[in-house]
Amino acid sequence: MNILVLMKQTFDTEEKIVLQNGTISEDGVNFIINPYDEYAIEEAIKLREEHDGEVTVITIGPERAENALRTALAMGADKAVIVDSEDIDLDEFSAAKILTAVIKEREFDIILGGNVAVDYGSGQVGPRLAEELNIPQVTTITKLDINGTKAIIERDVEGDKEVVEVSLPVLVTAQQGLNEPRYPSLPGIMKAKKKPIERLEIDDLNIEDDAEAKTTVTETFFPQKKEAGRILNGDIKDQVAELAALLRSEAKVI
Amino acid sequence: MRKVLVLTEAKAGNVRGVSLEALSAAQRIAEGGEIIAVAIGSDSTHYANVLGKYGAKKVYIIGNEELNVYTTDAYLQALRQVIDSVEPEAILMSHTAIGKDLAPRIAARFGLGLVSDVIDVQVDNGEVIFTRPIYSGKAFEKKKVVSGIPFATVRPNNIPVEEIGGTIEVVRFNVEIKDLRTIVKEVVRKTTSGVDLTEAKVVISGGRGVKSSDGFKQLQDLAEMLGGAVGASRGACDAEYCDYSLQIGQTGKVVTPDLYIACGISGAIQHLAGMSNSKVVVAINKDPEAPIFQVADYGIVGDLFEVVPLLTEEFKKVLVNS
């Protein structure tokens, strides 16, 4: 089974955001694999363990993103591809066009990705790519079983569970609860050093039309700082009565 | 003037609040142009009039039975035919399960840019500028479409909805749907209150301090009393006190309700990202140093197992007396 995984390297979720000249500073930032993509990588490795085949992890990013690929390889992926995006403005339209060009030359049975990235959070690239490749998609999945050319998939729909049947090839996006991603083992880390990473430039790719961004960011800013709140005092019962009254008369939310 | 197409959604036979927000956003973008709402499924005739009250001039009703249960392919085919026929100058959808799954595919099909999860829209010198959270609300960005028509999905609970009255023209639009590649075998309802977490006006959220899945029942009581939904911190989900679908934070859901009550949640940065843009935040925690108090409008330092039942009783009184 040929398994492709879409991965993005993101800020660690513990990081604070710092603006420098209106853009987000990467100084001293710890980077991780987007947590939702980590579920996708884990699921891909589990699929290979069950059905044999090969797991290829694909990313678009600057050089630092290779660290995330190495981690994925150390978890157990077989090979990796990075498309260099240094100094190029990309949006979701561009990313999907680039990935289409990378993937249409390859054989695959299933493509996995996270349902959203914890940085820009648009969740567009998976469904866009499925459309470009003209294959079905199942998003926010929490369980995946493949039997021959069919998959039975459970997905999270606003808290409810939907069970879906679909034929391969298919693109799926991972939701929390799909699995528990493994930590790379020491032998895994050693092996990863010898696994191949294919490095591509956007100019090398055969992109249909072009991948120029359709959207642009005009400003990045912080939410307004809230004034310090009020900690209530006194007997707990009195505090509760006061809180209910405040929510009704002052905050007007009850 | 722009002709704006808005995909509306219903839940249990009623228009979703976020669809009315999308119509309000459409009014700003339209600048006097026509707003065309799309209502899908055989029930949609019942609420078409409501859409008119919130700005829709025309409502395209697509009653195909294949659309009663959402599938990507069926909706994609239906919307593609509507868009080909209407030729809109802007498109809005909701940032819901359907919108998240469908909008990027529509965007790819028509070669469009898409701004996801917007909380505000302004028109500046004819240019449509969307505001959206990034890093789950740690920061915001303004974004515009530079090539093609404006297209966005609207996040629930952010754009003020105004009833403006008005009548509608109903267009029964027939679409051809074929070759569906996914089959929905079963839908298992797990949500008890029927209020979707991201759309709820009130969220009662529990952390590790809730200590057990039993402990969450008290939060559920409070949520039901206020017509809200229950959420949780990552700590509570990891400890298996509740389902991952309730998790709020940078991994998990981002919520912006009118009232967020955090019970036994310390307030890790990744949790704050998911809730700190709520309109009013109440924190209940034993530890007066807990970071959650820094984003709270009102705080009670105390044992949640004592405070929450009292609060449920107190709200009962307040609501009965009103």
Side-chain angles (χ1 to χ4, degrees):
Chain A
M1 178 174 274
N2 282 310
I3 305 159
L4 306 182
V5 186
L6 315 173
M7 188 212 70
K8 185 178 188 186
Q9 189 192 42
T10 58
F11 278 33
D12 192 318
T13 53
E14 301 296 322
E15 292 290 346
K16 287 206 168 98
I17 303 300
V18 176
L19 284 179
Q20 223 166 35
N21 302 325
T23 58
I24 292 170
S25 166
E26 293 190 357
D27 284 354
V29 166
N30 187 32
F31 286 91
I32 58 170
I33 295 175
N34 172 40
Y36 293 98
D37 299 346
E38 215 174 3
Y39 300 126
I41 295 164
E42 173 63 32
E43 199 65 18
I45 296 167
K46 280 168 67 178
L47 280 179
R48 187 204 52 207
E49 285 167 353
E50 196 182 334
H51 302 276
D52 290 330
E54 195 175 63
V55 175
T56 307
V57 182
I58 305 169
T59 196
I60 302 173
E63 210 181 328
R64 61 167 160 75
E66 280 199 28
N67 294 331
L69 288 179
R70 285 288 172 210
T71 306
L73 294 171
M75 285 171 74
D78 300 289
K79 1 185 249 189
V81 179
I82 182 166
V83 182
D84 180 14
S85 69
E86 203 91 55
D87 303 322
I88 303 169
D89 275 335
L90 300 175
D91 69 354
E92 300 88 351
F93 172 87
S94 327
K97 286 285 183 192
I98 291 165
L99 289 170
T100 304
V102 172
I103 289 171
K104 72 182 177 201
E105 309 294 333
R106 291 164 204 262
E107 283 183 25
F108 63 88
D109 300 290
I110 186 166
I111 303 174
L112 301 100
N115 87 82
V116 71
V118 295
D119 50 8
Y120 288 88
S122 76
Q124 290 185 27
V125 174
R128 276 182 181 273
L129 178 62
E131 180 63 24
E132 296 284 351
L133 296 169
N134 192 23
I135 58 171
Q137 73 192 36
V138 184
T139 52
T140 58
I141 74 165
T142 52
K143 191 164 189 277
L144 172 63
D145 281 311
I146 292 181
N147 202 336
T149 58
K150 273 198 169 21
I152 299 285
I153 298 173
E154 291 180 8
R155 61 185 296 252
D156 165 41
V157 183
E158 295 174 1
D160 291 331
K161 182 174 82 180
E162 197 176 88
V163 185
V164 172
E165 185 186 299
V166 65
S167 301
L168 304 186
V170 63
L171 182 147
V172 298
T173 67
Q175 174 66 305
Q176 200 164 26
L178 177 62
N179 54 44
E180 277 294 329
R182 68 194 71 189
Y183 288 102
S185 64
L186 195 57
I189 294 167
M190 298 311 288
K191 268 192 232 163
K193 289 181 178 162
K194 295 199 185 90
K195 290 178 180 173
I197 295 184
E198 188 182 348
R199 295 175 184 81
L200 301 172
E201 299 290 330
I202 292 174
D203 290 342
D204 300 338
L205 297 169
N206 183 14
I207 295 173
E208 211 181 306
D209 307 320
D210 68 52
E212 203 175 318
K214 298 276 183 191
T215 56
T216 187
V217 175
T218 57
E219 192 187 342
T220 303
F221 60 100
F222 289 117
Q224 262 185 329
K225 267 251 185 302
K226 262 189 168 175
E227 283 176 34
R230 195 185 319 173
I231 305 290
L232 306 181
N233 289 309
D235 181 67
I236 287 288
K237 275 192 176 158
D238 295 339
Q239 287 191 39
V240 166
E242 190 186 353
L243 175 64
L246 285 167
L247 291 176
R248 181 144 192 101
S249 56
E250 189 178 84
K252 296 188 169 62
V253 287
I254 296 293
Chain B
M1 290 214 299
R2 283 184 195 86
K3 179 158 61 172
V4 185
L5 187 74
V6 180
L7 173 65
T8 63
E9 293 178 38
K11 213 169 189 178
N14 295 311
V15 186
R16 293 184 72 160
V18 62
S19 293
L20 303 182
E21 293 184 61
L23 286 171
S24 292
Q27 286 180 45
R28 298 188 200 167
I29 295 172
E31 296 185 283
E34 188 177 45
I35 296 172
I36 300 169
V38 182
I40 289 184
S42 33
D43 288 345
S44 52
T45 319
H46 304 307
Y47 59 82
N49 283 325
V50 178
L51 304 175
K53 287 189 191 146
Y54 293 91
K57 281 281 166 285
K58 271 188 199 161
V59 178
Y60 275 54
I61 292 182
I62 311 178
N64 295 47
E65 253 179 38
E66 304 96 312
L67 296 165
N68 285 345
V69 174
Y70 174 83
T71 59
T72 315
D73 280 350
Y75 264 58
L76 180 65
Q77 291 176 32
L79 261 292
R80 206 181 63 214
Q81 290 166 59
V82 173
I83 292 168
D84 281 339
S85 160
V86 170
E87 297 185 346
E89 289 151 325
I91 305 174
L92 291 177
M93 296 185 186
S94 306
H95 203 63
T96 53
I98 289 177
K100 289 180 211 176
D101 190 80
L102 181 68
R105 245 190 127 122
I106 298 267
R109 167 57 63 108
F110 287 92
L112 296 173
L114 169 65
V115 185
S116 297
D117 200 17
V118 306
I119 57 167
D120 193 19
V121 53
Q122 302 292 339
V123 180
D124 183 16
N125 268 329
E127 243 179 13
V128 181
I129 312 275
F130 298 104
T131 304
R132 62 187 301 275
I134 53 174
Y135 294 87
S136 308
K138 288 177 185 171
F140 293 90
E141 65 181 11
K142 291 191 176 181
K143 212 168 178 187
K144 63 177 179 184
V145 172
V146 289
S147 160
I149 63 171
F151 184 6
T153 57
V154 173
R155 168 186 292 204
N157 279 346
N158 284 278
I159 295 173
V161 168
E162 212 184 329
E163 197 176 317
I164 54 166
T167 52
I168 51 159
E169 178 191 337
V170 170
V171 180
R172 297 204 178 267
F173 193 78
N174 291 316
V175 294
E176 191 194 342
I177 289 168
K178 55 180 186 187
D179 303 333
L180 299 183
R181 293 172 292 190
T182 51
I183 305 160
V184 176
K185 302 287 244 188
E186 192 187 356
V187 180
V188 184
R189 304 262 170 237
K190 290 205 289 184
T191 42
T192 44
S193 63
V195 184
D196 172 42
L197 190 51
T198 56
E199 228 175 333
K201 296 287 180 199
V202 177
V203 174
I204 314 295
S205 200
R208 274 193 187 276
V210 180
K211 290 192 183 129
S212 67
S213 48
D214 264 357
F216 267 86
K217 291 202 180 106
Q218 298 192 7
L219 307 193
Q220 190 71 49
D221 290 343
L222 180 53
E224 271 168 30
M225 161 63 49
L226 296 171
V230 170
S233 73
R234 179 176 182 164
C237 294
D238 284 349
E240 294 181 1
Y241 302 161
C242 56
D243 197 81
Y244 275 116
S245 61
L246 301 188
Q247 186 171 321
I248 291 166
Q250 199 165 358
T251 44
K253 301 202 162 59
V254 177
V255 296
T256 45
D258 290 342
L259 175 60
Y260 187 91
I261 304 184
C263 310
I265 292 178
S266 62
I269 182 169
Q270 88 102 19
H271 182 76
L272 299 185
M275 50 62 71
S276 57
N277 295 310
S278 303
K279 282 168 203 85
V280 174
V281 175
V282 172
I284 301 165
N285 203 301
K286 273 203 279 201
D287 175 10
E289 303 298 321
I292 189 77
F293 285 115
Q294 288 165 22
V295 299
D297 299 276
Y298 307 105
I300 291 182
V301 179
D303 181 357
L304 73 96
F305 294 108
E306 190 185 350
V307 175
V308 171
L310 285 172
L311 207 49
T312 309
E313 282 308 309
E314 192 64 34
F315 282 139
K316 212 180 271 177
K317 275 193 253 166
V318 170
L319 292 175
V320 166
N321 291 336
S322 62

